[in-house]
Amino acid sequence: MKQEIGALLHLYLDEIQAGEPTEVHDFLIQGAAKTINETDGRNWIPLIVKQTGFEEYQVIANSFVLAVAQAAGLNKVWCIVADDSENTQRSAQMLAQEIVSKINLVTATRDEIKVGLDYLIRRSTNPLVGVKLAIATERINSAARETWKESLMDVTKLKCGITTGSKLNIFKEVFYVMPMKKVVSVEAEKPSTVISPSNTSADSQKKSLDKLTVAELKTLAKERGITGYTKMKKADLLGVLSQA
Amino acid sequence: MTDSSLKKAWLSLSPDANEPEIASKLVMPEILKILGFDQQEICQEYFTGQGNQKVDVAARKNTKNDDFSHTKNNAALIVELKKRKLDLQSFNNPYKNAVKQLKGYLHPTSINCRKANWGLLTNANRIQLFRRHGRVVYPYTTNIELTADNIDEKISIIKNFIDNQTKALLIALYNNKGGVGKTTTTINLAGILSLPKPLGFGKKVLIVDFDPNQKDLSDLLDIQPGKLSLFDFYKDRKNLKINDVITQYRFREKYGFDVIPADEKFLKATATELGSIAKGSLRQALLPLKNLYDYILIDSPPGDSQFTHEALTAADVILMPSKHNGVASFKNAAMAMKTIFPALGESRRVYEPELADPTPLPIFFNGESITPAAKEQAQNAIKSIIQQAKQDEKIDLMHFFFPKWTKEQKNLEIFEMPSYAHIASAAFANRPAVFTSKVACEYYRNLVQEYFI
C-alpha cells in the first residue's frame, strides 16, 4: 500500500535500505545510541525515507540516525516518508547538514563567490588556509570563468592562494563549473545551454575551441559524428569542428 | 533478448483475429500453459451445464484417473473470448455484455462450472481476470490493455493472483451514513453463515469489529478482548501473532464464529499515534487468515475516516445496507462508488499492480417496511442519480442500484430485508437474532442466498 507523503511511521529496520553511508565518527554514533536506549528506544529526530516498494523504503537523508538505530540494536525506527524527487532529497540532506550547497562558477555573482570562499576559509573542519578573502574574490570574479574546465585548474593560475592538491579539493567542495561540452558558446549569460554552433560566429567559436585539450576536442568530434578523428592533430580537429 | 513464445504468439495474431484464432494461437498454447495447464487439461467449447450454453475455453488440472479433456467436467477456470476488433473498453456496451455473459457462465445454474473459481475475459487486446466465490463474481484485476511490450508482465501478474488464491471472501460492511444496520447485518450474517446446515450454511466466519468508536459489535456480543489487542499487535506485527488477537464467540458452546474485537486503544490513541499506523495495516494483518476462513466480515465505521479506509482497503467486496427514506443515503453511496473506492483502489495498485478496486455489491434496504409509494419515490431518486453519474462522470451505477435491470426488462427491484422486531431486540439479549429466532434465520438465509451462496 502506498503510504502518505509526510507520514510519520515507525518502520522496521529490515525494511529500510541505507542510502549513502554516514561519515560521522563512531564516537558520536555510540554516544547517541546510548541516549536512545535511555529514551525508551525512541529516536526523536526522525530518519527521512522514500518508499521504494510494498514494504521497502530507502534513506534519503539523515543517515546518521540509521547508523545510531543499528548501533542501539533497535527493531524499528521512526521515519518520515518523503516523496522521491531529487529536489526533496537535496533539500532534506542540506537540512540534515549532510551536504552543502554548491556554487556554479560560470553563473556566480561576486557576492556568491565571496560568501562561499568565506565559508571555506572560516569553517572549523578542514578550512582553506592561506587564502585572503578579498584578493581571491576579486581575482576569481574577474576571471573568464565561463571558459574554465571542470578540473578547476584555472583557479590555481590566478595565484590567490588556492594551489593544486588539497586546497583545490577544498575549493571544489563548494565550487564547480558545468562541463565544457555544454559550454562552447562565448555568451556568459547562457552557460548551460547545449552546443548550438549555428548560434555563434565561426571566429569566436574557434577561439573557445582553441582552449580545449585534444582529448576534449576528440570527444566533441565524436559527438558530432565526425569520422576519422582519432588520428587528427589539434589543428585538424579545430578545422573540422569549426566547420560543423 | 529474444521474445518469449507468449509475445511471439501475440504478435502473430492477425489484427482482426476472431475467437478461434485467439484460442488456438494465444490462449491455449501460451496463456493457459503459463497458468499451469497443459493440453490435456484444456477443453474448447465447454458445456457450462446450463442447457446448450458453451464457453469458449475451460481448464482444470488432471488427477490420476481423470483427464479433463475427456471427462469435460468441473472446470476450474473458464475463458470467454471476443473478436479482437471488439471494443472491450470498460463502460462501453460490448464490455458490459461480455461481463454479463461471463457472470452467466459462473452462475449456480451452470452446473458444470460450479467448481470454477476464475473467469478470464479477453480479445487479445484486453484481458481481465474475474474471481468467483459462491455467488459473487467480481473483477479481480483491472481491465488490462495488452501490448507486445507488457504481455509477459501482465500474464505473469494474472498467474500470480491465481497461484496465490485463498479460501476467504473479504467483505466490508459499509455505509457513509450511520444507523443503517451495518452491525446488525454483520453479526446476523456471520451467525447464519456459521450455523450448521440445514439451518445455516456451515461456514467458517471471522468478524473484524473495526469501529472502535462505537464498538457496537463487540459490546452487543459481550466479547472479551483476546490475549492481544489489535492496537498492540500493530506495534510489532512482524513478531506478534494475529491469532492471539482473535476471540471466539460461541453460542451455547456449540456454534458461532470468531471475532477480532474492537480495540478501545484506538480511541485513546493520539492523532499522531493513529497517523503513524501504516496504510494497509489491516489488509496485511488479515493476510495469514485468508486460508482459515470462508468469510471475513469487516464492520467499518460510518463516514470517511482512516478506519473506514483501512476496512475498505482490506476488502474484496463491499456490502452496503441502506435505508430507503432519504436521497442522502443514495447520494452517499454513489459518491463512495465514484470517488472513495477508486481512490483506495489506486493506492492498492501502486504496489499490487492491476489489482481491481474493491467491488461494491448491490445495495439493499435494511429492516424497513416500505410502502409502494415510498418505494417508487426511492426508485425515481435513484434513477436520476444514475443518470447524472452517467452524464457527468461517465460512471455506470446501474447494476449497483438495480442489479436485475436489463434493457428488455427494466427491473427496478432492490433487495429488501424486512423489518422484524426480533432482530433488533435480540441486541438486548447479547446475541444475533439468527441464533434464537427461526424467522430471523429465514430472512438472513434469504439474504445469503441472494448475494453469497
Side-chain angles (χ1 to χ4, degrees):
Chain A
M1 191 75 182
K2 184 170 190 308
Q3 301 307 324
E4 215 175 291
I5 301 298
L8 174 67
L9 301 179
H10 202 197
L11 299 175
Y12 283 96
L13 250 78
D14 59 20
E15 287 174 356
I16 304 171
Q17 230 195 349
E20 317 225 341
T22 183
E23 291 171 357
V24 178
H25 198 283
D26 200 44
F27 167 66
L28 298 170
I29 295 178
Q30 293 302 332
K34 247 186 268 177
T35 65
I36 284 203
N37 287 325
E38 286 158 16
T39 56
D40 236 1
R42 179 174 194 141
N43 56 305
W44 285 98
I45 303 274
L47 193 57
I48 314 297
V49 299
K50 64 180 177 187
Q51 188 171 13
T52 53
F54 186 47
E55 278 172 342
E56 285 169 31
Y57 303 84
Q58 190 181 39
V59 177
I60 64 165
N62 223 359
S63 357
F64 174 63
V65 171
L66 183 64
V68 172
Q70 283 162 340
L74 294 183
N75 195 15
K76 293 174 104 175
V77 64
W78 285 93
C79 306
I80 295 183
V81 180
D83 66 70
D84 57 6
S85 72
E86 268 185 45
N87 284 342
T88 298
Q89 172 149 13
R90 193 167 52 241
S91 172
Q93 284 179 330
M94 259 193 238
L95 286 167
Q97 298 193 324
E98 291 178 317
I99 59 174
V100 291
S101 51
K102 295 214 136 202
I103 299 177
N104 182 3
L105 279 169
V106 179
T107 49
T109 62
R110 186 204 165 80
D111 281 334
E112 285 172 331
I113 297 171
K114 179 169 173 192
V115 85
L117 277 174
D118 191 51
Y119 160 71
L120 289 172
I121 292 168
R122 297 214 286 164
R123 69 178 186 182
S124 47
T125 358
N126 206 14
L128 200 52
V129 284
V131 174
K132 294 217 172 62
L133 180 63
I135 297 179
T137 307
E138 183 48 46
R139 292 193 187 167
I140 293 174
N141 187 43
S142 335
R145 292 172 266 135
E146 63 279 0
T147 64
W148 282 12
K149 295 173 210 143
E150 249 184 294
S151 62
L152 292 187
M153 284 295 283
D154 304 86
V155 80
T156 61
K157 301 196 181 118
L158 295 177
K159 305 238 181 283
C160 58
I162 301 170
T163 49
T164 52
S166 54
K167 286 214 230 167
L168 182 58
N169 287 337
I170 294 174
F171 183 71
K172 280 169 149 186
E173 282 182 43
V174 170
F175 295 96
Y176 74 101
V177 282
M178 293 293 281
M180 274 315 286
K181 281 181 235 170
K182 294 190 181 143
V183 189
V184 175
S185 107
V186 178
E187 297 174 295
E189 293 98 72
K190 299 184 215 160
S192 55
T193 54
V194 181
I195 304 171
S196 35
S198 49
N199 275 349
T200 62
S201 69
D203 260 3
S204 51
Q205 194 186 39
K206 200 157 187 185
K207 253 194 214 149
S208 36
L209 282 177
D210 199 46
K211 298 215 167 190
L212 299 177
T213 63
V214 171
E216 285 163 345
L217 289 170
K218 284 189 182 174
T219 318
L220 254 184
K222 183 178 178 184
E223 273 181 7
R224 293 197 196 170
I226 295 169
T227 52
Y229 61 84
T230 27
K231 298 239 161 96
M232 290 185 195
K233 299 219 190 263
K234 185 159 185 178
D236 306 318
L237 287 163
L238 287 175
V240 287
L241 283 173
S242 51
Q243 276 169 25
Chain B
M1 273 264 286
T2 48
D3 290 341
S4 65
S5 75
L6 169 68
K7 186 171 175 179
K8 284 193 196 141
W10 191 86
L11 286 168
S12 77
L13 291 171
S14 40
D16 54 357
N18 59 11
E19 293 89 330
E21 187 186 338
I22 300 177
S24 58
K25 276 196 194 171
L26 184 69
V27 174
M28 300 197 304
E30 300 300 333
I31 294 183
L32 288 181
K33 181 159 165 221
I34 291 175
L35 297 183
F37 300 102
D38 59 45
Q39 294 307 304
Q40 286 75 35
E41 295 172 324
I42 302 176
C43 267
Q44 269 188 296
E45 299 298 305
Y46 178 77
F47 279 105
T48 63
Q50 188 181 88
N52 269 334
Q53 196 187 64
K54 283 183 271 187
V55 67
D56 294 300
V57 187
R60 156 165 79 73
K61 300 300 294 169
N62 287 341
T63 53
K64 238 193 215 162
N65 303 317
D66 192 335
D67 192 322
F68 182 60
S69 55
H70 288 138
T71 53
K72 302 196 189 196
N73 60 10
N74 293 326
L77 177 147
I78 60 169
V79 185
E80 170 63 15
L81 299 173
K82 292 290 171 196
K83 296 193 203 314
R84 200 161 182 194
K85 288 235 152 172
L86 191 69
D87 173 19
L88 278 187
Q89 264 188 86
S90 305
F91 312 130
N92 292 341
N93 281 330
Y95 171 77
K96 288 194 243 177
N97 291 335
V99 173
K100 193 162 158 223
Q101 211 180 349
L102 188 76
K103 289 190 177 181
Y105 297 146
L106 293 172
H107 194 265
T109 48
S110 304
I111 309 175
N112 218 4
C113 289
R114 287 244 176 98
K115 301 248 171 88
N117 289 334
W118 299 101
L120 269 176
L121 171 64
T122 181
N123 70 346
N125 283 340
R126 289 210 170 246
I127 190 166
Q128 187 166 20
L129 179 69
F130 290 81
R131 181 185 177 210
R132 184 261 202 95
H133 186 287
R135 263 184 186 258
V136 185
V137 180
Y138 66 101
Y140 205 80
T141 66
T142 55
N143 190 2
I144 303 172
E145 196 180 340
L146 287 176
T147 66
D149 289 327
N150 75 15
I151 189 166
D152 290 313
E153 182 207 338
K154 301 302 179 189
I155 301 300
S156 142
I157 288 175
I158 290 179
K159 174 179 165 62
N160 195 37
F161 284 146
I162 296 179
D163 287 347
N164 286 316
Q165 65 182 300
T166 51
K167 206 165 65 156
L169 181 69
L170 276 74
I171 308 164
L173 278 289
Y174 164 80
N175 193 314
N176 208 329
K177 265 182 91 48
V180 298
K182 277 190 301 307
T183 302
T184 314
T185 306
T186 310
I187 61 178
N188 282 297
L189 252 186
I192 197 71
L193 282 167
S194 62
L195 272 174
K197 301 184 190 176
L199 261 183
F201 298 88
K203 300 290 181 189
K204 275 213 79 182
V205 182
L206 170 71
I207 299 185
V208 182
D209 183 0
F210 214 54
D211 189 352
N213 230 325
Q214 299 194 37
K215 289 174 76 259
D216 281 351
L217 197 148
S218 306
D219 285 346
L220 219 145
L221 298 175
D222 198 21
I223 302 263
Q224 298 312 315
K227 270 188 270 181
L228 183 63
S229 87
L230 188 63
F231 189 76
D232 290 333
F233 170 78
Y234 275 179
K235 292 240 167 85
D236 196 4
R237 57 180 170 76
K238 280 195 180 175
N239 298 316
L240 296 171
K241 295 205 178 73
I242 184 71
N243 296 68
D244 290 341
V245 186
I246 300 177
T247 311
Q248 294 187 330
Y249 174 76
R250 292 291 178 265
F251 184 62
R252 294 195 183 136
E253 277 141 55
K254 271 195 292 180
Y255 29 78
F257 40 82
D258 289 350
V259 184
I260 290 182
D263 194 349
E264 261 184 342
K265 291 195 181 161
F266 284 113
L267 275 184
K268 300 190 180 138
T270 62
T272 322
E273 278 180 305
L274 285 179
S276 75
I277 298 174
K279 283 190 181 181
S281 289
L282 181 64
R283 187 177 167 77
Q284 280 303 95
L286 294 177
L287 265 183
L289 302 174
K290 283 163 87 160
N291 268 324
L292 299 178
Y293 297 97
D294 298 299
Y295 293 90
I296 298 181
L297 307 177
I298 309 171
D299 190 14
S300 30
D304 198 8
S305 68
Q306 173 186 1
F307 292 103
T308 312
H309 287 188
E310 282 288 285
L312 296 173
T313 302
D316 293 323
V317 297
I318 303 166
L319 185 60
M320 296 175 64
S322 268
K323 297 286 186 192
H324 77 290
N325 53 3
V327 177
S329 86
F330 308 137
K331 282 198 170 162
N332 276 326
M335 228 277 294
M337 285 195 57
K338 286 187 283 187
T339 50
I340 304 178
F341 306 160
L344 292 175
E346 276 296 321
S347 260
R348 290 203 305 201
R349 273 192 286 283
V350 178
Y351 297 116
E352 286 180 87
E354 304 304 349
L355 185 66
D357 297 343
T359 308
L361 297 172
I363 58 158
F364 67 97
F365 292 140
N366 195 26
E368 307 177 289
S369 343
I370 310 176
T371 65
K375 189 185 293 200
E376 201 179 317
Q377 207 175 30
Q379 286 167 342
N380 287 333
I382 292 174
K383 275 197 255 181
S384 50
I385 292 177
I386 295 177
Q387 176 78 327
Q388 186 257 332
K390 204 171 194 174
Q391 270 175 343
D392 296 351
E393 284 118 338
K394 307 255 184 291
I395 290 189
D396 184 16
L397 298 178
M398 182 65 84
H399 286 100
F400 169 69
F401 287 108
F402 302 132
K404 298 204 161 72
W405 194 92
T406 59
K407 253 194 282 185
E408 301 82 37
Q409 241 195 330
K410 301 195 198 280
N411 189 334
L412 300 177
E413 194 191 301
I414 295 178
F415 185 80
E416 288 171 36
M417 273 296 292
S419 150
Y420 184 54
H422 198 109
I423 296 176
S425 70
F428 292 102
N430 288 125
R431 60 177 72 107
V434 294
F435 284 169
T436 49
S437 151
K438 276 227 166 90
V439 176
C441 263
E442 266 168 33
Y443 286 166
Y444 281 99
R445 248 205 321 272
N446 196 22
L447 177 67
V448 168
Q449 282 169 329
E450 176 73 18
Y451 280 88
F452 298 110
I453 295 183

